[in-house]
């Protein structure tokens, strides 16, 4: 495993574990998954993973409970990251919600506490006042944000009066927005971009095609899995396979290695089984050659999916079968 080259109280692994899947029916993994989830966590620990990401909203608290129980006594050794879902993130609310998350996780302190998304009405001034108080009493280690643009990230830092260590954003070969300004900022200021959906929710695994789309509500609502977009992704997947073959690796591992080239980026793929977790952890060791990276960049740029409003009628048709 490799770790972020930053001064943090505990090392942060370049591959973390995302746990939205834990206790969340919308992924469609069924009742047996809970036990597998615990095995995934234990295996991740064996492999040197130190970043475990959850949120109060995942499975309405179940993800935090499953993660905390699976980590057991190892909770104190790793970076446990959770998120407040900011419906009304006033300072006292932030404090109450952190206490509740810590209780579900079974931890004395949340190593990284993140604001799940920017609230359009409530300013970060009050939210960060709550975060600062939590840091001052030791219930929260580092503060993070998620789905923030650069301006608001920096504003949050000014409001906190301390570093907001990380911004967790959608970042993968098919969502490269963070490369514009968030990653350069993280690099220059000593912050971290946490890449969520780093495999495009499995799109980049090459496992799915127009005749074989994934099941589950999450991905039925994701336009990338429209038959048309799976078709449009064929070339990109072919390039991933080609680079993967040269490394005796899989397309998913190469898709992760692409992100991890940036020193201040960590990825938190979710996993449906232990073997995926093992492969994802191993991806941290893959070094892409410059020409391989260039080929991946070209293939990623050439992928033009149907998204936004244009995709909505097709998504509705895919859902209703009409
Ligand atoms: N902050 C936010 O707003 C936000 C939003 C979304 C997610 N997140 C966080 O980010 C984490 C990851 O994002 P995500 O779950 O949306 O997407 P993801 O990590 O890109 O995709 C996860 C899915 O990809 C497949 N997969 C994983 N490893 C694989 C491998 N080695 N080979 C082949 N397939 C593999 C699995 O699905 P199948 O095996 O079923 O194909 C798995 O459930 C979440 O768990 C959550 O913690 C945060």
């Amino acid at each position: 495993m490799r770790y972020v080259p930053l001064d943090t109280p505990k090392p942060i692994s370049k591959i973390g574990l995302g746990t939205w899947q834990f206790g969340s029916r919308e992924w469609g993994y069924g009742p047996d998954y809970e036990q597998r989830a615990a095995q995934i966590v234990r295996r991740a620990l064996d492999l040197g993973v130190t970043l475990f990401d959850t949120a109060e909203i995942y499975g309405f608290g179940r993800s935090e409970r499953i993660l905390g129980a699976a980590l057991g006594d190892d909770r104190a050794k790793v970076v446990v990251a959770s998120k407040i879902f900011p419906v009304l993130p006033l300072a006292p609310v932030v404090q109450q919600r952190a206490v509740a998350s810590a209780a579900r996780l079974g931890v004395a302190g949340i190593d990284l506490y993140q604001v799940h998304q920017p609230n359009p009405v409530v300013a970060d001034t009050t939210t960060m006042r709550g975060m600062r108080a939590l840091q001052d009493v030791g219930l929260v280690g580092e503060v993070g944000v998620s789905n923030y643009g650069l301006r608001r990230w920096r504003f949050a830092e000014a409001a906190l009066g301390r570093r907001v260590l990380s911004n967790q954003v959608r970042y993968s070969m098919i969502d490269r927005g963070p490369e514009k300004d968030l990653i350069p900022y993280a690099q220059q200021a000593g912050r971290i971009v946490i890449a969520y959906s780093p495999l495009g929710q499995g799109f980049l695994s090459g496992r799915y095609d127009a005749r074989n789309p994934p099941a589950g509500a999450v991905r039925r609502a994701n336009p990338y899995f429209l038959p048309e977009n799976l078709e449009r992704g064929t070339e990109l997947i072919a390039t991933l396979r080609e680079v993967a073959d040269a490394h005796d690796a899989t397309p998913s591992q190469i898709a992760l290695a692409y992100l991890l080239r940036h020193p201040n980026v960590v990825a938190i793929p979710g996993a449906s089984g232990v073997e995926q977790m093992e492969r994802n952890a191993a991806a941290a060791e893959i070094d892409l050659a410059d020409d391989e990276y260039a080929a991946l960049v070209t293939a990623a740029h050439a992928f033009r999916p149907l998204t936004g409003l244009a995709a909505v009628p097709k998504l509705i048709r895919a859902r209703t079968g009409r």
Side-chain angles (χ1 to χ4, degrees):
M1 182 51 64
R2 287 177 175 164
Y3 299 86
V4 181
L6 269 188
D7 184 22
T8 47
K10 297 174 194 170
I12 298 180
S13 53
K14 292 280 285 177
I15 289 286
L17 177 64
T19 67
W20 176 12
Q21 286 76 356
F22 293 11
S24 303
R25 283 180 181 197
E26 60 270 28
W27 275 87
Y29 289 157
D32 295 346
Y33 182 66
E34 200 154 312
Q35 205 185 345
R36 236 179 313 146
Q39 291 163 355
I40 291 169
V41 171
R42 299 306 309 169
R43 189 69 186 124
L45 284 166
D46 287 346
L47 296 169
V49 169
T50 60
L51 175 62
F52 293 83
D53 179 75
T54 181
E56 62 175 2
I57 194 80
Y58 298 161
F60 301 103
R62 285 197 64 72
S63 171
E64 289 181 323
R65 283 205 179 86
I66 295 169
L67 175 63
L71 286 172
D73 289 344
D74 290 314
R75 279 174 288 220
K77 294 187 200 146
V78 299
V79 177
V80 176
S82 193
K83 311 182 202 83
I84 176 170
F85 198 73
V87 178
L88 189 65
L90 305 175
V93 177
V94 173
Q95 291 164 37
Q96 288 159 14
R97 302 273 278 280
V99 170
S101 276
R104 282 189 292 270
L105 284 159
V107 294
I110 302 172
D111 300 285
L112 174 65
Y113 196 41
Q114 307 154 100
V115 183
H116 207 137
Q117 55 195 48
N119 185 294
V121 181
V122 180
D124 288 317
T125 328
T126 175
T127 307
M128 291 300 150
R129 199 178 315 122
M131 288 290 195
R132 196 164 55 240
L134 286 166
Q135 283 186 311
D136 289 345
V137 297
L139 192 69
V140 160
E142 300 279 351
V143 172
V145 290
S146 176
N147 297 304
Y148 272 45
L150 180 57
R151 249 167 67 113
R152 194 150 170 178
W153 185 4
R154 298 187 72 159
F155 182 84
E157 303 215 70
L160 184 67
R162 298 168 185 166
R163 73 176 175 188
V164 170
L165 180 66
S166 57
N167 191 357
Q168 184 177 134
V169 289
R170 184 182 299 133
Y171 179 38
S172 73
M173 283 182 70
I174 51 176
D175 284 291
R176 295 180 315 281
E179 290 173 359
K180 270 195 240 81
D181 54 0
L182 296 180
I183 294 173
Y185 173 68
Q187 184 74 32
Q188 162 247 315
R191 307 287 187 266
I192 300 175
V193 166
I194 301 180
Y196 77 67
S197 303
L199 298 170
Q201 298 194 331
F203 180 95
L204 293 164
S205 71
R207 218 179 125 181
Y208 300 109
D209 60 40
R211 283 166 308 282
N212 172 36
V218 169
R219 292 183 283 192
R220 266 205 309 275
N222 179 341
Y224 287 135
F225 293 102
L226 284 170
E228 191 166 346
N229 284 337
L230 285 162
E231 199 65 56
R232 289 184 190 199
T234 313
E235 283 297 310
L236 173 56
I237 300 296
T239 307
L240 278 166
R241 275 194 210 291
E242 211 176 294
V243 177
D245 286 348
H247 287 267
D248 204 8
T250 65
S252 298
Q253 290 179 305
I254 299 302
L256 293 173
Y258 169 97
L259 307 178
L260 301 189
R261 261 201 150 206
H262 302 283
N264 291 42
V265 170
V266 309
I268 50 164
S272 59
V274 171
E275 197 192 322
Q276 286 185 350
M277 173 70 247
E278 290 169 343
R279 286 185 195 280
N280 296 344
E285 313 291 340
I286 297 176
D287 289 315
L288 296 172
D290 290 344
D291 63 328
E292 292 172 331
Y293 185 70
L296 292 169
V297 170
T298 305
H301 277 269
F303 173 58
R304 292 284 150 83
L306 193 70
T307 54
L309 280 179
V312 173
K314 288 179 190 286
L315 276 174
I316 294 171
R317 228 172 292 141
R319 261 196 118 102
T320 56
R322 277 186 248 155

